[in-house]
Amino acid sequence: MARLRRLVGAVYLRWRRSIQVRVVTSTLCISAIVVAILGMFLTQQMSNALLDGKIKAARLQLDEGLSTVQRQLGNQPDNGSRLDNVMAGLKARSGPSGLYEVYIRDTRDSSFDGYSTNELRVESIPQRLRDELRRSPADTTAYTFGKLSYVGRPSERGLIVGGKAGQFELYYLFPLTQDQRTLTVVSQALVGVGVVLVLLLAAIASLVTRQVVIPVRLAAQGAQRLADGRLEERMRVRGEDDLAALARSFNEMAANLQDKIVELEDLSQVQRQFVSDVSHELRTPLTTIRIAADMLYENRDTFDDPMVGRSAELLQSQLERFESLLADLLEISRHDAGAATLDAESLDMRDLVLRVVGDIQNLAERKGSKVLLQLPGEPCMAEVDRRRVERILRNLLVNAVEHGEGEDIVVSVGADRDAVAVAVRDHGVGLKPGEGQMVFDRFWRADPARARTTGGTGLGLSISREDAQLHGGWLQAWGEPGAGSQFRLSLPRVAGAELRGSPLPLVPPGAGGRPVFAELEAGE
């Protein structure tokens, strides 16, 4: 049974994946149905033609026999020897092979069953045929089909025709065995021809389909190799037909795509290099400015003009933000260049959450928010890069504090056999429809008129997303206008393993709206 299921599954898979198999199978089925219908129609027509010819010949034979009986017997008194002579003469005309049997009956003698030839049983004459002749006027003939019974040999199907000649009823009984054999031979020949015809049609369909499918299949294979990064892939062009035009169009598309990809790669490389070079080059003058700014900031109370002291404080804060921006630019350029590496170690996610919450506790108090923790009682161990995960959690918490409108912030930690997750829930402004697609974009702000009170650079969520993907995890968001938002970080317990699910829900319990954003699985 299992082998049969595997066989059916393999056939079904082959059916789904191969146009040629579907076309050949469809042609085979349709042609088989058409040939079967035509075969049945032809067999029926031949059968009717044979029977019609048989009936006409039988009636002609019957008319001749009735004439003989009328001429030789007429209405004279019964004479057994004369009747025997008539029967012998009628039977002799059937030939030595016995094309028919003859039965004659005198209607005036109800006690006598009549005369028949070759041990023919009287019950071979159906009673309904006798009754029909009895009710019919003179010179009437009738026929029917029935079973011919003999003494000493098997019965057989036959045609029975009868008529009246004065006081006598004459019946001819024609066996149909030979006709049935003829129909059987013809039917077998039609079946054989039909099978051969169906197979030929299937072979023709397979040949024609193969001429079309093979170039399409080669194009699909070329497209797959092109998608795998083999930009030099090209199709062979043969002839000048439509398939050759398809090959040429594919090659032109591949060449243009290769040129564009190379151009974009060069442009992206220039862009990454520019960001990296600018970030590095700015560090030297920034270091000098930092030294001078620190000196001014430390002596701000000694200046006679209060505005100078205030300027020193502003210079210090903006330099700190500038340094953070440079650090984020360097980090994002590493991700863009594919140079970011993972320094994974086995850690308890609860400890990382407690540490980050402790770091931003003062900021939350200044904003009037309280951070509530929902931690499991058991360790949530996972192989993670401490620095990157702490940066993700810090970005999520700072973002929740900035947009939480002073409401409580809930941090939940969960784990299952394959993954760990941290969810940060705020009850602030939330996300409007359409904003969810941009929440992880670089330098994106929900409200451009709103100031960054926490000094963010606009790259935090973008870097967090890259860090999550580097672990093989997800960073996803849910939001609802006026009901707050929730960001969920899901990481595999083993760094780089495939993540199939998250132990925490994306939509927080009790939230009635639909998620306006769910971004995004690693690698997308």
Side-chain angles (χ1 to χ4, degrees):
M1 195 64 180
R3 182 178 298 175
L4 179 61
R5 285 197 297 268
R6 288 195 297 269
L7 179 61
V8 172
V11 172
Y12 177 68
L13 185 63
R14 180 68 175 171
W15 164 271
R16 288 183 54 191
R17 292 183 174 180
S18 176
I19 297 177
Q20 186 176 8
V21 171
R22 290 201 297 272
V23 171
V24 172
T25 305
S26 301
T27 304
L28 193 64
C29 294
I30 294 173
S31 59
I33 294 173
V34 173
V35 169
I37 294 174
L38 290 177
M40 293 173 61
F41 175 76
L42 291 175
T43 302
Q44 186 66 32
Q45 290 295 105
M46 287 187 293
S47 177
N48 293 336
L50 283 175
L51 291 178
D52 290 342
K54 194 76 172 179
I55 292 171
K56 290 180 181 179
R59 281 183 164 174
L60 290 175
Q61 191 70 42
L62 176 63
D63 291 340
E64 184 179 351
L66 289 174
S67 299
T68 301
V69 171
Q70 183 68 30
R71 185 176 60 253
Q72 296 186 13
L73 296 179
N75 293 323
Q76 301 178 11
D78 185 16
N79 188 318
S81 60
R82 188 187 310 126
L83 190 58
D84 289 339
N85 291 333
V86 171
M87 286 290 295
L90 295 176
K91 177 59 180 174
R93 297 176 185 178
S94 69
S97 59
L99 297 179
Y100 55 84
E101 304 292 340
V102 182
Y103 175 81
I104 190 170
R105 179 175 176 271
D106 189 349
T107 58
R108 293 175 302 179
D109 188 0
S110 59
S111 62
F112 182 62
D113 289 337
Y115 291 91
S116 61
T117 59
N118 287 347
E119 306 295 334
L120 181 70
R121 295 182 184 273
V122 177
E123 54 266 24
S124 298
I125 311 299
Q127 187 62 40
R128 64 180 182 277
L129 184 59
R130 293 183 178 184
D131 295 339
E132 183 178 353
L133 289 178
R134 190 178 301 114
R135 292 190 300 268
S136 301
D139 299 330
T140 299
T141 61
Y143 73 92
T144 187
F145 295 95
K147 183 182 294 185
L148 307 185
S149 300
Y150 301 92
V151 177
R153 62 190 177 106
S155 59
E156 55 186 338
R157 182 173 173 78
L159 170 66
I160 306 164
V161 295
K164 295 170 64 176
Q167 68 190 42
F168 295 98
E169 292 178 356
L170 181 62
Y171 298 92
Y172 280 79
L173 299 92
F174 294 84
L176 298 177
T177 303
Q178 187 62 37
D179 301 273
Q180 290 178 342
R181 290 174 182 171
T182 302
L183 283 176
T184 301
V185 172
V186 173
S187 300
Q188 291 175 350
L190 285 176
V191 170
V193 171
V195 171
V196 173
L197 179 60
V198 169
L199 294 178
L200 286 176
L201 288 175
I204 293 172
S206 176
L207 180 62
V208 174
T209 308
R210 181 181 176 85
Q211 294 177 353
V212 177
V213 168
I214 287 182
V216 175
R217 190 176 297 164
L218 292 175
Q221 294 173 354
Q224 182 62 43
R225 288 191 287 267
L226 196 66
D228 292 337
R230 298 171 59 179
L231 302 180
E232 71 283 354
E233 183 66 27
R234 298 293 184 271
M235 287 184 62
R236 182 178 297 179
V237 180
R238 296 178 178 176
E240 298 180 356
D241 54 10
D242 295 337
L243 296 176
L246 172 64
R248 285 192 294 270
S249 300
F250 178 87
N251 293 339
E252 292 176 2
M253 178 195 69
N256 293 334
L257 185 62
Q258 183 179 16
D259 294 339
K260 293 297 182 182
I261 289 178
V262 171
E263 181 180 345
L264 289 175
E265 287 180 349
D266 293 341
L267 181 61
S268 178
Q269 178 64 30
V270 170
Q271 180 183 8
R272 291 195 300 266
Q273 189 64 39
F274 174 77
V275 173
S276 179
D277 292 344
V278 168
S279 300
H280 280 287
E281 292 299 325
L282 286 177
R283 283 197 171 275
T284 301
L286 182 62
T287 302
T288 305
I289 296 174
R290 162 62 69 182
I291 295 174
D294 288 341
M295 184 178 299
L296 293 174
Y297 183 76
E298 292 175 357
N299 298 282
R300 65 185 182 280
D301 296 333
T302 63
F303 298 122
D304 296 334
D305 190 350
M307 294 300 296
V308 177
R310 177 58 180 164
S311 298
E313 293 176 356
L314 291 175
L315 178 62
Q316 184 74 9
S317 62
Q318 292 304 311
L319 277 175
E320 291 175 355
R321 184 178 179 185
F322 191 28
E323 287 180 335
S324 300
L325 179 60
L326 278 179
D328 289 346
L329 285 173
L330 282 173
E331 186 65 27
I332 207 75
S333 65
R334 293 191 189 98
H335 283 292
D336 290 341
T341 59
L342 197 66
D343 186 14
E345 56 180 318
S346 182
L347 298 172
D348 190 348
M349 292 296 295
R350 299 177 304 172
D351 296 337
L352 297 180
V353 169
L354 290 174
R355 180 171 177 176
V356 174
V357 169
D359 292 341
I360 61 98
Q361 193 67 44
N362 293 332
L363 176 62
E365 291 177 357
R366 290 198 305 269
K367 297 289 292 184
S369 298
K370 181 186 296 185
V371 180
L372 305 178
L373 298 177
Q374 295 180 351
L375 305 180
E378 298 180 353
C380 301
M381 306 301 296
E383 295 179 1
V384 298
D385 188 322
R386 178 192 297 271
R387 179 179 64 88
R388 296 184 185 277
V389 172
E390 286 184 353
R391 180 166 57 197
I392 296 173
L393 297 178
R394 186 176 296 107
N395 286 328
L396 296 182
L397 284 168
V398 169
N399 185 73
V401 169
E402 184 173 355
H403 298 90
E405 302 295 324
E407 299 291 335
D408 292 343
I409 298 170
V410 181
V411 180
S412 304
V413 179
D416 57 21
R417 186 183 63 179
D418 301 319
V420 294
V422 179
V424 179
R425 169 81 161 105
D426 67 72
H427 299 82
V429 296
L431 293 173
K432 299 177 183 178
E435 291 182 346
Q437 299 297 331
M438 301 178 288
V439 69
F440 292 103
D441 290 348
R442 300 174 186 183
F443 302 107
W444 180 81
R445 297 170 66 180
D447 184 3
R450 181 170 179 161
R452 297 185 187 276
T453 58
T454 56
T457 64
L459 295 173
L461 290 179
S462 299
I463 296 174
S464 298
R465 179 183 62 180
E466 299 289 347
D467 286 337
Q469 291 179 349
L470 191 62
H471 284 81
W474 307 336
L475 183 57
Q476 300 167 300
W478 169 90
E480 188 177 286
S485 60
Q486 176 167 291
F487 287 77
R488 183 183 67 179
L489 172 66
S490 304
L491 301 175
R493 283 186 177 270
V494 178
E498 183 179 0
L499 190 60
R500 300 181 181 276
S502 179
L504 293 178
L506 177 60
V507 180
R514 297 177 57 189
V516 299
F517 179 73
E519 197 336 281
L520 49 81
E521 295 190 5
E524 292 185 356

